[in-house]
Amino acid sequence: MASNSTTATPPVLELRGITKTFGPVIANQDVDFDLKAGEIHALVGENGAGKTTLMRILYGMYQPDGGAIAMDGQPISFKKPIEAIKHGIGMVHQHFMLVPGFTVAENVTLGAEPRKRGLFDHGAASAALVDPMKRLGIELDPDTITGTLNVATQQKLEIIKVLYRGAKIIILDEPTAVLTPQETEELFVLLKSLAKDGASVVFISHKLREVFAVADRITVLRNGKTIETFVAADTDAAAVVASMTGRTDVNLGRVQRTEPGTSTVLEVSGLHTAKHGSDAALKAVSFSVRAGEVLGIAGVEGNGQSTLAETLIGIQSMTGGSIRLSEADLGGLNVAERRSRGLSYVAEDRHLEGIPLNGTVLEGITAGLIRRDSSAAGLGRAFPRTVRHWATHMITKYGIKTSGYDAKCSTLSGGNQQKIVMARELEDKPECIILAQPTRGVDLGAIEFLYNQVAEATAAGCAVVLISADMDEILRLSDRVLVMYGGEVVAEQRASETSREELGMYMVGAQTMKVNK
Amino acid sequence: MSLKTPFKTLPQSQEGVKSPANSSVRALARRAVPGLFTLAVGLVLAVILIEAQGYQALPTIMAGLDYAVGDATSIARTLAWGLPLIVATLGVSLAYRSGMFNIGAEGQIYAGAMAAALTGAYIGPMFTGLHLFLCLAVSAVVGGAVAAGLGWLRAVWNVDEVLSTLLSNYIIMLFCAYLATAPLRDPARQSGTTRAVHDTAMFTELIPSTQLTSALFVVIVLCGATWWLSERSVTGYRWRMTGESPAFAAASGINVRRSRIGSMAVSGALCGIAGALLVTASQGRFWTEIGTGIGWDAVLLAMIARARPVSAIIWVLVYSVMRSAARGIEQVSTVPSEMSLILISGIIIAATARAGLFTRLAELKNRYIRSEGK
Amino acid sequence: MELLNSFLGSGVRLTTPILLAALACLPTQWTKDLNVGLEGAMLFGAFGGVVFGLAFGSGFAAVTLTIAAGILSGLVFGWMITRLNVNVFIAGIVLNIFAGAATVYLLRSLFGVKGTLSAPGIPSLPTYRIPFIDGVPILGPILSGHTVLTYLSWVIVAVALFAVKNTVLVRHLKAAGEHPAALAAAGGNVQRMRILAQVWCFALCAIAGAQLSIGQLTLFTEGMTNGLGFVALAAVIFCRGRVLLLTMMSVVFGLASAVAIQVNDEVIPPQIAQMLPYLIAFIGLVVLARTSKDGGVRIATPTMES
Amino acid sequence: LGLGLGLSLTACGGKAPTAAGASADGLKVGIFVDNAFGDGDFFDQAGVAVDSLKSDLGATVKTYEGQLQAQNFAPMMQDAADANDLVFVLGYEAIDAMDSVAERNKDTTFVFIDGTVDNPEVISAGFRTAEGCFMAGALAGVVGKDKSAAAAGFIGGANAPVVKNCETGFTSGVSNVAPDMRVLAQYVGSFTDPSKGREVALGLENRGARSIFAYAGLSGAGAFDAAKSGADIAPIGIVADKSALAPGKVPGSLIMRVDKVMENMAQEFVDGKLKHGEQRSYGFAEGGWEMIYDDKLVPADQVKELEALQAKLVSGEVAPDGK
Ligand SMILES: Nc1ncnc2c1ncn2[C@@H]1O[C@H](COP(=O)(O)OP(=O)(O)OP(=O)(O)O)[C@@H](O)[C@H]1O
Ligand SMILES: Nc1ncnc2c1ncn2[C@@H]1O[C@H](COP(=O)(O)OP(=O)(O)OP(=O)(O)O)[C@@H](O)[C@H]1O
Ligand SMILES: [Mg+2]
Ligand SMILES: [Mg+2]
């Protein structure tokens, strides 16, 4: 074990033998973890490994069933988050903890509001933001409504919040999932400067590239247990992956695929939409995808990728342009009709659009089957024996871990939920599939499996539109890459001829190239 | 298509694998706990309420139950009372399943009752079966149209249906009251009632002076049909998915608008039929208070049955027995029949609080054990 | 002019219980635990006003004790919906039914009467005639001659307007509804906020009920709230958490009821006139959904899972 | 839990419930009301008869409350028919249920109070509403004249025909004694909403009415309450003596002797003089209506004047509908 027991500085924080169970689930078992002043300590592990649980225990959100926590050598235990906050622990959660209807100043000061004569002090609240914002080097109007900010800014707001509370120990749970490479870089610069000032950072991520870019030490959890703590400088990705998965043969490079065909399957030209929600409207988006080809679409979130996906499948309507699938115009068709013509769709928000969260696995996985099967229309039986058998078959074929098809979807882990979605959409044998953020928050093992499924589908001639915020994913899987900015396609490159850095320049709008329209 | 893969060789769903006899018995016992718990709460409450009025609890309860289900006639009466409520509750449940909270059952029942009363009185007399069918059909269309309209407002214009259906209750009930007291009043009557329907628009009584009519068969058919529609059919699947997650439904090609409007239409139609039953199986005409409270009963029972048809029917039957028993108790004592409403309130709260209560208790126990250990 | 004066005076009196009940419900909307049991809570309030009034012979004691009982009930209700996870929508509907039945039961058990409890011993809250304003046309009937509870309702509106802008408490209430996890993570107490909202709701409903039974009248009648709670609920759902809009809606409903009462049955049949507040609310709801961005946001979402 | 429950079931004392079909000898009378007792009005006035039926005729009396739950009417009516010899039915909504049950239970005698029912099995006891309300109007006129009022107020529960009848009688009564006085009529739209009744009364006061007659059930209580809390109106009681509702303010009440009518009919039933299908009509002459006056508020000469008017009404010299 590349343990840190030899290092001199005593840890500011020490967790020993932490155990936590949820009913039958053992989320943490005898977990050890320690944190030194001024270090960035990454915590990695597959979905459900127990990272979030461990940090929530540290933050006082859960009470451990066993184990001890010590801070600066003193044993402590937090009953509530407020106690942890008072001890200088701050946490940026996996999901934003910002009240959308509140202003920036209200959100940052929530729970520790400056008061004047018992009342909320608006002036002091705004003033309190100045220092953290200066430290982070950003400018924000304290009176902006938080819900109107983009995700990256909200992420920064979370960090401002932590700084406002004067945290010396900062926990970040998958903070980069929603950030662009540039924003991620910025965040890392920030974390490093915080660490230099003496703060300690716990950084949770699924992306090893990031972990190695920022962390001093790396602790790996698997199935709720501590496997190993590495010193980042002394190890490499392969070793960490092996430790995370317990396997040594995980492919982290380009996915093996057959060459794409020549016939054009999806043809989008001059697509325009109205503005809808927080995403940009599309302006004259044109591209085409050939059979067996994977077209990656990169871009900072909010630049029209979600709109594009939803417009292609027909959830949002277009105001101009055309969509043709194998020569047929999809223009006036609704979702069901487009799907029947051979279009499939893996939605970006799995819990919202991908699966019925409180429905059963059976209900989630058979949506396509039921739609296709015209004999069952209307008053016919939704789940005859054949359909149930098919579902069982899919569960085994895709290796979905579940107690059976009657299990609630919400009881499955993210990776398994995504397998349900992929199984449903790929088994439709589509001519073209739109994959929006297909592996967001999914662990390495599951990602590998899903990529192989995509590769198989392309081998059978399926055209793929891959929308992803994960640059690695795009580079590992696609043949060509489009970059979207402000609702327009600003760049087109062959995946083999570009780099993360180049794409990143296009993504932030620093550079545009003439694209065939 | 993959449907044609040879399934027979595939393992069955994992449930079938593990079920030794004693574990299934234990499972059954565990399933019975909620029922026993609520029953116990109800009984304790009843004892308190009766004793508080100075009566012996057990004999009084027995007298009430005797009145409600003591013999065939009593059972028939109790059942007859529950028939419209069953239909209305199923109607409300159906809408709930697609995420449409149809609080407007009361109004739709009134609309249906008015429609049936007018059809029965102003059309005909004609062949009974046809006349009854016409009455039920018209009231289903009217109730369905009202609900579908509100559903349309929700689906297309995004008008919150919880509030719109709530308000529609008062608008419809007052409008019906206006019709019954002014333009459509039976001139022979002193109060707000419409004309009596023709005899051909009345269900025939199955057991004399019990009001249990052949409407029973209509209700049984409706129960079966609703259950199939909601729990087994493709349409029901679409409605359920729409209720579960509209975004999921939309993304997987289900027409969310159609599901919402459709389920509301059927829900309203059932409520309308419930109203029609009030007229054609019991009152013979519309009057201004014909269904007071039934709509709210239905909403409550549908919620407590978590919109599952079978469970809804069982709850309605239990509720009917309680109401009937309370009427019986009122006749033999001075315990007000409002007792049944207090009981049902207590039972519902007990049923919904049970899980929470048990977790709290378990928590306390754990804390105790932990403190012992230290 | 006489007609207008009488209409305005009547409008203010009819507005008071609606406004009080709506203000009661508002914080429960902020915490997303919309209490639909206003009707029931008010009915208990009205009953309490009469019972405590009879027992202590003083209007002040009656109101104080009714509020105390309201606070207690709010604690129990809040405890049930937070700690015991009882669905607040179900609990609200049950409360309405329960109140209707329990007041009848208690009326019988405690006083041996049915229907109406009217006794000389029931105190009534005094009304206050403001010396100079009283005689002024329009202003007189609006400002003068009302019970202390009417004036209290206006004070509460002012306090609420101020509190929304300037207090931490309202921020925490809103946060507890909009993003409870955020509040909890920031060290706030979500459960306390949710319970507090219910306590406030019951306390104010108690006042609204007392206004009905010993403010406007000096008697208690079975089901004497007569749908006022639902009118108030409509105002609450309609206003989407905004105090000023809530107040305006309550006034509109109050005035609409006054119109319904003052208008002759030959001009508009009483049933149609009674429909007015509901029709206004309905049309307003549709207009709101069509015109404003948050118009379609649903706030009263009963949930089905156990 | 089970043990505790068992204990509480057996240990706690209390009365035994009275057996449902107690077969005491003697007359058994049922009183069915379509809503419930406690309206402080019509039904409660019928309830007054319970005691005298028990004491004077030695009858066992059972009451049945429909509580406006129409579905229960027929079954309860059937219960009433099973358990009683004579059943009084009150409330228009129960007519249909009564008709059908009466036809099936010819050995039970049904009497419908306050209305005329065309059914050979049912005895009707109608009250001439306009006649009674005429005298209430006359009292309103007399009281109003004293206060030099421009108008007399009439509050109706709903715009139903009975209430309209009463309004007609009331109006003729007013104009008989005070030809110049207007009658302001206003409908609450509910028989159970005292707070609205109060607002209506205050509205009428504002428009110049000084005497008010409320034919509106519980909603009428609001008018008395308004008078009690200081409004300048004299509320006239209906059905029963309502002076307790606004002490010192009620000049008189029009009493509906439902109790007397019921007692008399029960006596006739015992005597075998009651014939199925009979239709009776009650007014002042038959003892159905009765006026009482508060002599502190209405001077003796005015009472005399009113009594004279009542005599004319009875003799037919004055018609209650003003014709
Ligand atoms: N509140 C809870 N109730 C029940 N089980 C839970 C709860 N929270 C977590 N778990 C279980 O605990 C285990 C660890 O979950 P945790 O969220 O800590 O994993 P994680 O490492 O953060 O995963 P991810 O990478 O997906 O965020 C999982 O198996 C999960 O099912
Ligand atoms: N309150 C809870 N009750 C039961 N299970 C829970 C609860 N919270 C989380 N889980 C389970 O914990 C597991 C991991 O939780 P987590 O929230 O980290 O989701 P995840 O699997 O990481 O998915 P995502 O990709 O959305 O992050 C899931 O299986 C989820 O079902
Ligand atoms: Mg996690
Ligand atoms: Mg996760």
Side-chain angles (χ1 to χ4, degrees):
Chain A
M1 262 203 195
S3 158
N4 62 312
S5 52
T6 51
T7 32
T9 43
V12 289
L13 189 74
E14 232 178 325
L15 290 88
R16 286 283 164 258
I18 299 292
T19 300
K20 176 73 185 171
T21 53
F22 295 103
V25 180
I26 303 169
N28 284 158
Q29 191 177 4
D30 234 352
V31 176
D32 294 342
F33 183 80
D34 67 274
L35 193 61
K36 285 183 278 189
E39 79 160 341
I40 299 178
H41 193 151
L43 191 58
V44 297
E46 303 214 330
N47 288 118
K51 309 177 290 290
T52 303
T53 305
L54 186 67
M55 289 304 116
R56 288 187 168 177
I57 288 172
L58 177 56
Y59 193 60
M61 291 172 85
Y62 296 150
Q63 304 306 311
D65 298 333
I69 307 176
M71 202 170 180
D72 296 324
Q74 301 296 317
I76 45 162
S77 77
F78 305 130
K79 293 254 169 337
K80 292 189 195 112
I82 189 73
E83 293 170 13
I85 294 171
K86 284 196 181 125
H87 278 84
I89 299 177
M91 182 159 175
V92 174
H93 296 266
Q94 196 167 348
H95 305 282
F96 288 144
M97 293 294 179
L98 298 168
V99 183
F102 278 19
T103 64
V104 166
E106 286 173 334
N107 258 317
V108 171
T109 56
L110 183 68
E113 295 83 354
R115 299 179 197 226
K116 199 163 64 187
R117 271 177 269 117
L119 299 172
F120 184 73
D121 188 342
H122 291 273
S126 301
L129 302 193
V130 175
D131 179 54
M133 286 204 295
K134 210 157 70 208
R135 274 175 80 187
L136 297 182
I138 48 169
E139 272 302 318
L140 270 180
D141 178 4
D143 295 327
T144 319
I145 300 296
T146 310
T148 62
L149 300 171
N150 63 27
V151 278
T153 317
Q154 293 194 22
Q155 180 71 265
K156 286 175 186 148
L157 202 53
E158 288 279 19
I159 299 172
I160 293 179
K161 234 166 90 174
V162 170
L163 294 182
Y164 168 76
R165 288 298 188 90
K168 303 295 287 173
I169 295 172
I170 302 169
I171 306 162
L172 299 116
D173 195 348
E174 296 190 34
T176 57
V178 290
L179 302 184
T180 61
Q182 272 77 10
E183 286 164 343
T184 306
E185 272 316 312
E186 285 172 26
L187 176 71
F188 288 171
V189 170
L190 210 131
L191 293 182
K192 282 174 181 161
S193 82
L194 288 173
K196 205 182 288 163
D197 291 351
S200 311
V201 177
V202 181
F203 176 79
I204 300 178
S205 177
H206 285 289
K207 299 177 188 167
L208 289 184
R209 173 192 306 282
E210 296 175 351
V211 168
F212 278 100
V214 73
D216 301 314
R217 287 193 296 157
I218 303 166
T219 292
V220 177
L221 289 187
R222 189 166 81 219
N223 293 332
K225 292 185 209 125
T226 332
I227 300 300
E228 225 169 337
T229 298
F230 299 96
V231 174
D234 303 343
T235 187
D236 62 359
V240 175
V241 168
S243 177
M244 278 166 72
T245 56
R247 295 191 291 140
T248 48
D249 58 347
V250 179
N251 171 21
L252 293 176
R254 212 179 140 73
V255 177
Q256 289 302 313
R257 298 220 347 264
T258 50
E259 274 299 305
T262 48
S263 60
T264 298
V265 175
L266 183 72
E267 172 95 56
V268 175
S269 58
L271 203 58
H272 282 269
T273 66
K275 174 121 176 93
H276 189 271
S278 58
D279 204 9
L282 300 185
K283 280 175 250 156
V285 171
S286 305
F287 60 84
S288 60
V289 193
R290 285 171 292 149
E293 186 187 28
V294 177
L295 175 69
I297 296 188
V300 179
E301 261 185 74
N303 280 288
Q305 305 95 304
S306 310
T307 308
L308 175 64
E310 296 195 342
T311 310
L312 288 179
I313 193 68
I315 296 171
Q316 282 192 46
S317 52
M318 54 191 197
T319 51
S322 72
I323 305 168
R324 305 179 74 79
L325 183 70
S326 310
E327 301 299 303
D329 189 6
L330 296 186
L333 304 185
N334 64 22
V335 180
E337 288 158 347
R338 288 180 196 206
R339 281 176 171 278
S340 315
R341 298 284 163 93
L343 203 57
S344 261
Y345 171 52
V346 172
E348 64 174 38
D349 191 334
R350 177 158 67 239
H351 287 178
L352 199 67
E353 296 178 272
I355 49 162
L357 205 52
N358 288 314
T360 61
V361 171
L362 182 65
E363 288 171 334
I365 206 166
T366 55
L369 199 63
I370 291 176
R371 191 195 62 252
R372 277 202 312 267
D373 197 351
S374 57
S375 73
L379 298 176
R381 233 180 134 163
F383 302 110
R385 179 186 291 267
T386 45
V387 170
R388 281 177 285 143
H389 277 304
W390 179 81
T392 318
H393 176 48
M394 284 306 125
I395 289 171
T396 27
K397 178 172 170 191
Y398 282 81
I400 300 170
K401 285 205 204 80
T402 167
S403 61
Y405 57 57
D406 279 332
K408 260 192 176 187
C409 288
S410 60
T411 60
L412 271 65
S413 76
N416 283 306
Q417 290 173 346
Q418 193 65 355
K419 283 180 184 172
I420 295 179
V421 179
M422 287 296 242
R424 179 180 73 219
E425 299 299 337
L426 290 176
E427 290 302 316
D428 235 1
K429 304 277 179 255
E431 287 178 52
C432 174
I433 185 165
I434 304 153
L435 301 175
Q437 321 290 358
T439 58
R440 179 171 278 177
V442 173
D443 62 53
L444 293 171
I447 288 178
E448 199 183 12
F449 176 83
L450 293 175
Y451 285 173
N452 288 338
Q453 295 299 318
V454 173
E456 252 179 52
T458 51
C462 177
V464 177
V465 179
L466 171 70
I467 298 173
S468 179
D470 183 350
M471 201 60 64
D472 290 329
E473 178 160 87
I474 295 216
L475 292 174
R476 284 175 69 189
L477 212 52
S478 36
D479 300 301
R480 269 185 307 139
V481 187
L482 300 186
V483 181
M484 290 190 69
Y485 181 76
E488 288 179 89
V489 176
V490 292
E492 177 176 347
Q493 291 280 12
R494 293 197 57 78
S496 52
E497 292 161 8
T498 186
S499 66
R500 300 168 55 79
E501 289 67 32
E502 190 194 3
L503 291 176
M505 296 304 281
Y506 292 119
M507 282 166 70
V508 292
Q511 203 174 319
T512 40
M513 66 186 282
K514 267 272 153 282
V515 185
N516 284 350
K517 291 205 177 155
Chain B
M1 206 163 71
S2 38
L3 248 182
K4 304 204 171 62
T5 42
F7 303 113
K8 303 294 175 294
T9 58
L10 290 170
Q12 296 280 322
S13 86
Q14 288 157 4
E15 275 167 74
V17 185
K18 36 136 200 193
S19 62
N22 72 337
S23 91
S24 80
V25 168
R26 207 174 301 155
L28 205 70
R30 202 173 310 133
R31 277 180 130 191
V33 166
L36 289 176
F37 175 75
T38 43
L39 197 73
V41 169
L43 213 61
V44 169
L45 257 180
V47 168
I48 294 171
L49 290 174
I50 294 170
E51 293 280 354
Q53 290 284 329
Y55 284 88
Q56 293 169 353
L58 196 58
T60 311
I61 293 174
M62 290 318 289
L65 285 178
D66 187 56
Y67 180 86
V69 288
D71 53 39
T73 314
S74 321
I75 293 173
R77 275 187 189 182
T78 303
L79 188 59
W81 187 87
L83 288 185
L85 190 55
I86 289 178
V87 179
T89 306
L90 287 176
V92 176
S93 303
L94 209 54
Y96 282 7
R97 286 293 248 170
S98 68
M100 301 293 283
F101 289 90
N102 184 7
I103 313 289
E106 188 108 346
Q108 288 142 28
I109 289 170
Y110 268 73
M114 180 54 96
L118 297 182
T119 313
Y122 291 93
I123 299 175
M126 61 176 93
F127 168 64
T128 302
L130 184 64
H131 205 172
L132 277 171
F133 175 76
L134 210 61
C135 285
L136 296 192
V138 170
S139 51
V141 167
V142 170
V146 168
L150 295 167
W152 187 89
L153 282 177
R154 164 80 173 117
V156 183
W157 282 5
N158 217 0
V159 177
D160 184 31
E161 89 283 355
V162 178
L163 184 52
S164 72
T165 51
L166 172 69
L167 294 170
S168 74
N169 278 336
Y170 295 97
I171 297 174
I172 294 170
M173 284 162 65
L174 286 166
F175 184 68
C176 289
Y178 162 71
L179 290 182
T181 39
L184 297 173
R185 186 173 61 83
D186 181 353
R189 282 297 172 87
Q190 292 284 308
S191 60
T193 55
T194 61
R195 283 173 201 275
V197 300
H198 295 289
D199 285 345
T200 52
M202 292 293 285
F203 283 98
T204 48
E205 226 169 16
L206 293 178
I207 304 174
S209 66
T210 58
Q211 288 207 315
L212 184 68
T213 59
S214 45
L216 175 66
F217 305 117
V218 174
V219 174
I220 289 173
V221 169
L222 286 175
C223 283
T226 308
W227 172 80
W228 178 267
L229 180 65
S230 165
E231 303 301 305
R232 287 286 177 270
S233 77
V234 170
T235 306
Y237 167 76
R238 292 187 181 129
W239 292 359
R240 288 200 317 269
M241 290 304 109
T242 303
E244 187 50 59
S245 168
F248 164 74
S252 54
I254 293 169
N255 189 332
V256 171
R257 282 187 183 184
R258 195 190 295 169
S259 296
R260 286 183 165 157
I261 300 173
S263 70
M264 274 298 270
V266 177
S267 165
L270 284 170
C271 290
I273 291 176
L277 291 181
L278 287 174
V279 172
T280 55
S282 147
Q283 299 305 296
R285 58 171 92 217
F286 178 92
W287 61 290
T288 45
E289 316 254 3
I290 188 165
T292 316
I294 287 197
W296 282 107
D297 289 349
V299 167
L300 196 61
L301 290 166
M303 291 205 76
I304 190 69
R306 297 174 58 231
R308 304 300 191 277
V310 177
S311 151
I313 293 167
I314 293 171
W315 271 99
V316 174
L317 292 177
V318 170
Y319 184 69
S320 307
V321 170
M322 285 178 54
R323 290 294 292 264
S324 179
R327 278 199 302 282
I329 287 176
E330 195 180 41
Q331 286 190 25
V332 297
S333 71
T334 58
V335 183
S337 65
E338 274 75 15
M339 183 183 77
S340 68
L341 293 177
I342 299 179
L343 280 186
I344 197 83
S345 304
I347 286 180
I348 288 172
I349 291 299
T352 45
R354 183 190 52 82
L357 200 64
F358 283 13
T359 348
R360 286 286 86 77
L361 287 177
E363 232 167 55
L364 281 179
K365 200 172 90 186
N366 282 347
R367 201 177 299 167
Y368 178 74
I369 291 171
R370 223 176 290 164
S371 71
E372 288 285 281
K374 267 177 200 166
Chain C
M1 189 50 81
E2 271 305 297
L3 202 64
L4 183 66
N5 281 346
S6 120
F7 162 72
L8 289 174
S10 183
V12 171
R13 282 190 296 272
L14 290 167
T15 300
T16 303
I18 299 175
L19 180 58
L20 280 168
L23 286 168
C25 192
L26 187 65
T28 69
Q29 185 189 32
W30 289 337
T31 58
K32 298 265 162 70
D33 287 317
L34 189 78
N35 189 333
V36 296
L38 298 181
E39 183 88 358
M42 274 168 88
L43 196 57
F44 273 129
F47 187 71
V50 167
V51 171
F52 293 127
L54 266 178
F56 295 93
S58 128
F60 178 75
V63 173
T64 317
L65 285 171
T66 310
I67 293 175
I71 290 173
L72 219 64
S73 324
L75 282 173
V76 174
F77 193 90
W79 175 72
M80 286 199 309
I81 64 165
T82 54
R83 301 291 286 167
L84 297 189
N85 277 328
V86 174
N87 182 314
V88 69
F89 204 85
I90 293 187
I93 297 179
V94 167
L95 176 62
N96 286 335
I97 291 176
F98 176 69
T103 49
V104 172
Y105 182 90
L106 288 173
L107 205 57
R108 270 226 185 164
S109 315
L110 298 179
F111 303 100
V113 297
K114 293 206 72 184
T116 302
L117 177 63
S118 167
I122 300 175
S124 80
L125 298 175
T127 53
Y128 297 97
R129 301 221 166 261
I130 304 171
F132 299 103
I133 297 172
D134 195 45
V136 181
I138 308 219
L139 230 51
I142 295 181
L143 294 179
S144 171
H146 302 292
T147 66
V148 65
L149 297 184
T150 300
Y151 300 118
L152 180 66
S153 71
W154 300 347
V155 172
I156 294 174
V157 169
V159 168
L161 278 171
F162 180 80
V164 167
K165 243 186 135 37
N166 295 307
T167 61
V168 173
L169 181 68
V170 174
R171 281 193 172 70
H172 281 207
L173 285 169
K174 286 186 169 176
E178 221 176 315
H179 199 328
L183 180 62
N189 192 328
V190 177
Q191 251 173 36
R192 190 178 301 161
M193 289 303 121
R194 292 176 64 193
I195 294 177
L196 193 68
Q198 298 301 337
V199 168
W200 168 269
C201 179
F202 276 76
L204 245 63
C205 278
I207 302 180
Q211 162 71 8
L212 277 181
S213 67
I214 58 173
Q216 283 172 15
L217 300 159
T218 45
L219 50 82
F220 176 83
T221 311
E222 288 175 8
M224 77 182 298
T225 39
N226 269 304
L228 279 181
F230 287 109
V231 175
L233 187 66
V236 175
I237 301 182
F238 195 90
C239 81
R240 321 249 156 209
R242 289 184 290 264
V243 181
L244 211 57
L245 193 57
L246 176 96
T247 312
M248 271 164 49
M249 274 321 283
S250 304
V251 172
V252 166
F253 287 160
L255 291 180
S257 318
V259 169
I261 284 175
Q262 302 285 336
V263 84
N264 200 289
D265 78 306
E266 263 117 48
V267 184
I268 306 174
Q271 292 86 2
I272 304 290
Q274 277 179 299
M275 224 190 265
L276 260 173
Y278 304 107
L279 264 180
I280 292 172
F282 190 91
I283 294 166
L285 183 68
V286 176
V287 171
L288 193 73
R290 293 298 286 160
T291 53
S292 97
K293 227 193 315 175
D294 60 349
V297 181
R298 38 190 308 164
I299 65 115
T301 306
T303 42
M304 204 61 74
E305 70 272 9
S306 58
Chain D
L1 180 78
L3 190 69
L5 201 67
L7 276 178
S8 74
L9 284 176
T10 50
C12 292
K15 288 172 276 181
T18 49
S23 59
D25 292 330
L27 179 62
K28 287 190 284 285
V29 180
I31 303 176
F32 180 97
V33 298
D34 70 353
N35 195 346
F37 294 102
D39 62 341
D41 220 278
F42 183 50
F43 298 142
D44 280 349
Q45 192 65 17
V48 170
V50 173
D51 285 336
S52 45
L53 284 172
K54 280 182 184 163
S55 56
D56 298 354
L57 294 174
T60 32
V61 183
K62 289 173 78 77
T63 55
Y64 303 85
E65 294 184 327
Q67 304 198 324
L68 289 185
Q69 299 258 324
Q71 277 193 282
N72 299 339
F73 290 175
M76 290 185 120
M77 199 82 75
Q78 184 60 47
D79 291 341
D82 290 342
N84 302 289
D85 312 312
L86 174 66
V87 178
F88 292 104
V89 179
L90 296 89
Y92 299 114
E93 312 307 349
I95 292 178
D96 290 319
M98 176 187 66
D99 277 345
S100 63
V101 173
E103 253 146 52
R104 273 199 298 258
N105 298 273
K106 302 208 168 159
D107 52 345
T108 307
T109 302
F110 282 88
V111 180
F112 187 76
I113 305 284
D114 194 23
T116 309
V117 178
D118 281 319
N119 183 327
E121 294 304 326
V122 177
I123 299 159
S124 312
F127 283 72
R128 297 194 291 277
T129 311
E131 189 182 311
C133 293
F134 178 94
M135 283 311 297
L139 176 59
V142 167
V143 172
K145 262 200 303 196
D146 280 357
K147 301 186 171 192
S148 48
F154 176 85
I155 300 176
N159 48 347
V162 224
V163 186
K164 286 277 180 196
N165 271 346
C166 179
E167 188 192 335
T168 316
F170 180 81
T171 310
S172 353
V174 171
S175 50
N176 187 288
V177 296
D180 296 335
M181 203 177 285
R182 278 182 303 138
V183 171
L184 302 171
Q186 193 71 54
Y187 288 81
V188 182
S190 158
F191 283 95
T192 54
D193 196 338
S195 68
K196 278 201 179 136
R198 180 189 147 97
E199 289 304 326
V200 172
L202 292 178
L204 293 176
E205 181 206 6
N206 250 313
R207 287 156 63 190
R210 290 294 171 267
S211 50
I212 284 179
F213 182 57
Y215 198 82
L218 280 176
S219 304
F224 291 89
D225 213 89
K228 186 165 102 178
S229 58
D232 184 14
I233 45 174
I236 294 166
I238 170 82
V239 179
D241 181 3
K242 295 282 172 73
S243 51
L245 287 181
K249 298 275 191 171
V250 182
S253 295
L254 167 67
I255 297 188
M256 190 179 190
R257 298 256 57 138
V258 181
D259 50 335
K260 282 273 149 11
V261 169
M262 283 165 60
E263 271 173 62
N264 292 342
M265 290 190 111
Q267 183 62 55
E268 286 185 50
F269 175 79
V270 172
D271 299 343
K273 288 195 256 176
L274 223 47
K275 284 202 289 295
H276 284 204
E278 221 178 320
Q279 296 189 337
R280 301 199 181 173
S281 168
Y282 290 86
F284 285 105
E286 295 85 358
W289 295 113
E290 193 181 307
M291 286 296 293
I292 57 164
Y293 303 102
D294 185 336
D295 43 17
K296 288 199 203 72
L297 295 176
V298 193
D301 55 329
Q302 282 183 359
V303 172
K304 234 176 235 131
E305 192 185 314
L306 285 165
E307 276 169 355
L309 183 61
Q310 185 175 321
K312 282 190 202 164
L313 191 64
V314 168
S315 68
E317 204 170 317
V318 175
D321 53 2
K323 280 164 200 155

